Amino acid sequence: MAMKTLTLAIIFFLLLLDCSTARKPKALRHRRPCKRLVFYFHDILYNGYNAKNSTSAIVGAPTWGNTTKLTSNNHFGDMVIFDDPITLDNNLHSPRVGRAQGFYIYDKKETFTSWIAMSFVFNSTQHKGTINFVGADPILSKTRDISVIGGTGDFHMSRGVATIATDSYEGEVYFRLRCDIKLYECW
Amino acid sequence: MAMKTLTLAIIFFLLLLDCSTARKPKALRHRRPCKRLVFYFHDILYNGYNAKNSTSAIVGAPTWGNTTKLTSNNHFGDMVIFDDPITLDNNLHSPRVGRAQGFYIYDKKETFTSWIAMSFVFNSTQHKGTINFVGADPILSKTRDISVIGGTGDFHMSRGVATIATDSYEGEVYFRLRCDIKLYECW
Amino acid sequence: MAMKTLTLAIIFFLLLLDCSTARKPKALRHRRPCKRLVFYFHDILYNGYNAKNSTSAIVGAPTWGNTTKLTSNNHFGDMVIFDDPITLDNNLHSPRVGRAQGFYIYDKKETFTSWIAMSFVFNSTQHKGTINFVGADPILSKTRDISVIGGTGDFHMSRGVATIATDSYEGEVYFRLRCDIKLYECW
């Protein structure tokens, strides 16, 4: 009988092991971020005088605007394409660790608000791959949340939420944004 | 022996409990929508005469078009930025419960079809947060499905499918769309 | 005793079955693609002379460019809307199995690189539904990965990664792209 009980105990143990494995799916979903990354990116908008330094340009405008200057009506209808340097701190001259590439549009007449779609592109020893973002960006809010909708390379299949904050700006030329990325799906 | 059997039965019970817990991950995926929401949004396109009432404007057009009037060739190449009121029913004058913000493009010469990327932005007692959408929008189809690719706030990390239907339209100025949101991933 | 052991064995078996079921959630996440599809799509850019054959057109440009010709500075700031035929092999004249619809932007001054958002739209006996993509597309790289952010119909709720490669091109008019879609979330 002792032998049988032992056998049963072993089977139990294996079974428990099996079940506990079942609880660990390949990709975990987390209540708290499974990965958190903070970056700054720096947008220098072309205004007719800064061809060399600018990192973005207006490429679409409503019929009452033009592509040299952000339009009236809270820039409603302006579309800007950008290729902005990413840094680890809030210094424009810090080493670039990646590029923020994509576009934003100003989408409301009554106040400043925008909508953004972009990728963070990394190709360094620390990070290789991309993180893709989409979301409403009401720029007058102290912080605003956009969606992390996917990723590649080191960020394969990532999903999450990124909290954007305007860290600094100068007139209508320089915008520095803090991007606090919280991934809730890590593979 | 009866004692041992009882012990075994208890272990069995605990084990079963354990396994059934394993079946409930933090975020459930559902065959049927875990959340369903129906909204209407109202697009009033700027046409040169409705500066006050319009909620959207053409900001990009092909070389044969312009940004005041939707172009020929089934509007192929027109890009429209919008900030449309969201209502719970199909009445333009009902209380606004949020804003639909983003853009659509007309992307085919041979027929009317569009592609849309937008956010539903809510900031009321009922809903706080955003839902982000992307997808092909063949506007002549009675209904068409786009992807819910993410969300924030009340809609944290949501994914799903939204079925869009043109509920009504007037010429090339007013478009009323019904948006039936079915979330299959709820957090 | 033999009877009891048999009973226990049966319970074990049921329990094992139960646990193995627990390991199969409704939507599986896979380390390896749960679905893989390879397509080609063909982009013929309008250049002023090919109104009939072209499948895409420039609709936005920076202030130093125009919408007839891709601009200098590595096309930085150009936005192109497209409706491209999809084929199963690399022959432009093969049967169309769907349409690639969306837009791309050139987003860097110093080199050729783009950013793309599009849907593959299928309506054949083989595939019905859409696959939605977003991501950075550094066109000079042999291959580049973009995100599959959602899907509808046959591709309901899909997520994954698509590897894009420029299969061929002719001047600034014809671009043939190979799209190797690897879905890691299948419903």
Side-chain angles (χ1 to χ4, degrees), chain B residues 127-149:
Chain B
H127 301 298
K128 275 192 207 311
T130 64
I131 307 174
N132 297 317
F133 306 84
V134 156
D137 182 16
I139 47 181
L140 294 184
S141 300
K142 199 179 171 188
T143 63
R144 50 270 185 189
D145 287 344
I146 63 174
S147 289
V148 176
I149 57 171

Side-chain angles (χ1 to χ4, degrees), chain B residues 74-142:
Chain B
N74 295 297
H75 311 340
F76 175 65
D78 283 336
M79 175 181 181
V80 175
I81 292 181
F82 61 88
D83 165 47
D84 294 344
I86 297 173
T87 58
L88 292 176
D89 62 17
N90 66 358
N91 188 337
L92 171 60
H93 304 291
S94 291
R96 282 91 172 90
V97 298
R99 308 295 294 190
Q101 301 181 326
F103 71 97
Y104 54 88
I105 54 177
Y106 288 95
D107 57 18
K108 198 177 178 69
K109 284 188 290 186
E110 293 78 10
T111 183
F112 285 112
T113 188
S114 73
W115 192 93
I116 195 166
M118 64 173 175
S119 302
F120 276 13
V121 180
F122 299 100
N123 189 14
S124 69
T125 47
Q126 204 168 0
H127 301 298
K128 275 192 207 311
T130 64
I131 307 174
N132 297 317
F133 306 84
V134 156
D137 182 16
I139 47 181
L140 294 184
S141 300
K142 199 179 171 188

Side-chain angles (χ1 to χ4, degrees), chain C:
Chain C
M1 243 2 262
M3 198 58 196
K4 270 184 190 166
T5 309
L6 185 64
T7 312
L8 281 173
I10 290 164
I11 295 169
F12 265 136
F13 179 76
L14 291 171
L15 198 53
L16 264 167
L17 204 74
D18 185 63
C19 281
S20 69
T21 310
R23 236 173 303 149
K24 285 176 199 145
K26 281 163 199 158
L28 283 173
R29 294 185 160 200
H30 304 256
R31 286 199 187 280
R32 294 184 185 173
C34 44
K35 197 170 216 169
R36 192 158 180 181
L37 298 156
V38 177
F39 295 107
Y40 292 79
F41 63 103
H42 308 260
D43 193 43
I44 305 171
L45 185 58
Y46 178 74
N47 65 356
Y49 303 100
N50 57 355
K52 204 183 164 191
N53 292 328
S54 59
T55 63
S56 65
I58 306 170
V59 307
T63 199
W64 61 84
N66 63 62
T67 50
T68 305
K69 197 176 159 20
L70 288 169
T71 193
S72 54
N73 288 327
N74 294 298
H75 312 339
F76 175 64
D78 282 337
M79 175 181 181
V80 175
I81 293 180
F82 60 88
D83 165 47
D84 294 345
I86 297 173
T87 59
L88 291 178
D89 61 17
N90 65 358
N91 187 336
L92 171 60
H93 304 292
S94 291
R96 283 92 171 88
V97 298
R99 308 296 294 190
Q101 301 182 326
F103 70 97
Y104 55 87
I105 54 178
Y106 288 95
D107 57 17
K108 199 176 177 71
K109 284 188 291 187
E110 293 78 11
T111 184
F112 285 112
T113 187
S114 73
W115 191 95
I116 195 165
M118 65 173 174
S119 303
F120 276 12
V121 181
F122 300 100
N123 188 14
S124 68
T125 46
Q126 202 167 1
H127 300 298
K128 275 193 207 311
T130 64
I131 306 175
N132 297 317
F133 307 84
V134 156
D137 182 17
I139 47 181
L140 294 184
S141 301
K142 199 178 170 189
T143 62
R144 48 272 186 188
D145 287 344
I146 63 173
S147 289
V148 176
I149 57 171
T152 66
D154 289 354
F155 307 100
H156 180 70
M157 294 293 289
S158 291
R159 286 186 75 229
V161 170
T163 301
I164 306 280
T166 305
D167 188 58
S168 177
Y169 66 96
E170 285 171 27
E172 294 187 344
V173 175
Y174 176 65
F175 304 90
R176 183 169 67 226
L177 297 154
R178 186 180 187 273
C179 185
D180 181 353
I181 302 168
K182 287 154 279 187
L183 302 181
Y184 295 93
E185 289 189 29
C186 301
W187 283 58

Side-chain angles (χ1 to χ4, degrees), chain A residues 14-80:
Chain A
L14 291 172
L15 198 53
L16 263 166
L17 203 76
D18 185 63
C19 280
S20 71
T21 310
R23 234 173 305 148
K24 285 177 199 143
K26 281 162 199 159
L28 283 172
R29 295 186 157 198
H30 304 257
R31 287 198 186 283
R32 293 182 187 175
C34 44
K35 197 169 216 171
R36 193 160 178 179
L37 298 156
V38 177
F39 295 107
Y40 291 80
F41 63 105
H42 308 260
D43 194 43
I44 303 172
L45 185 58
Y46 178 74
N47 64 357
Y49 304 99
N50 57 356
K52 203 183 167 191
N53 292 328
S54 58
T55 62
S56 64
I58 307 170
V59 307
T63 199
W64 61 83
N66 62 64
T67 50
T68 305
K69 196 176 158 23
L70 288 169
T71 191
S72 54
N73 288 326
N74 294 297
H75 311 340
F76 175 64
D78 282 337
M79 176 181 179
V80 175

